[in-house]
Amino acid sequence: MKRMHIHIAVDDLELSRKFYAAMLGQEPTISKPDYAKWALEDPRVNLAISQKCGNQAGVDHLGIQAETHEELEELYTRLGDASYAMVDQKRAKCCYAESDKHWAVDPAGVPWEMFHTMGEVAVYGNDRASDVGKVLVG
């Protein structure tokens, strides 16, 4: 089986390592003074591209799609227990789907969307936490 690779450059490795360990629910598989890597079996990858999402081309945000409401709440609890601020969206309509979402921003300013999709909607929609970074980081 192939595995999607995502690499994020960060300013503060230790702060970022703590954020990702909390969000992913485990410590890194590899941890070096200037590098950390999680080789995960869960979550699988959902890759989306869109002309409507961001203001400019490039990575808009990253995310974890939960299969159940309970999995979504587990993600919320992990980050909340680690004292990370989040923005919540219930029944958001975006990307042709209706989803419950929790947004967080990692220490490098990368927005993360944790969501559970309940169904499809007929339009792209605009319920996005596009200013999540401003809301959570000030």
Side-chain angles (χ1 to χ4, degrees):
M1 177 184 323
K2 295 171 182 70
R3 180 189 317 251
M4 176 67 80
H5 172 69
I6 300 168
H7 188 123
I8 301 169
V10 301
D11 292 321
D12 189 321
L13 186 76
E14 186 56 23
L15 270 177
S16 297
R17 189 201 61 73
K18 287 178 183 176
F19 176 87
Y20 287 105
M23 183 175 67
L24 299 170
Q26 69 182 57
E27 292 298 317
T29 308
I30 297 173
S31 188
K32 305 289 184 187
D34 61 348
Y35 178 80
K37 179 174 85 172
W38 288 260
L40 303 170
E41 297 304 322
D42 179 21
R44 299 178 319 245
V45 172
N46 165 344
L47 175 65
I49 60 173
S50 170
Q51 290 184 325
K52 299 181 178 207
C53 200
N55 294 327
Q56 61 187 36
V59 175
D60 183 72
H61 66 276
L62 301 172
I64 296 176
Q65 181 176 8
E67 290 187 23
T68 66
H69 179 74
E70 291 75 23
E71 284 180 345
L72 179 63
E73 292 314 302
E74 178 185 337
L75 292 166
Y76 177 83
T77 299
R78 279 191 222 153
L79 286 173
D81 288 349
S83 300
Y84 289 103
M86 286 172 277
V87 171
D88 299 329
Q89 290 183 303
K90 297 292 182 191
R91 306 196 81 71
K93 291 172 181 64
C94 182
C95 304
Y96 300 97
E98 182 176 39
S99 305
D100 285 341
K101 302 179 180 191
H102 301 298
W103 290 86
V105 176
D106 81 355
V110 175
W112 276 86
E113 172 191 28
M114 290 145 282
F115 65 101
H116 172 249
T117 299
M118 288 86 70
E120 296 180 15
V121 294
V123 296
Y124 184 87
N126 61 0
D127 286 342
R128 291 190 62 252
S130 58
D131 292 328
V132 69
K134 296 174 192 162
V135 171
L136 294 175
V137 200

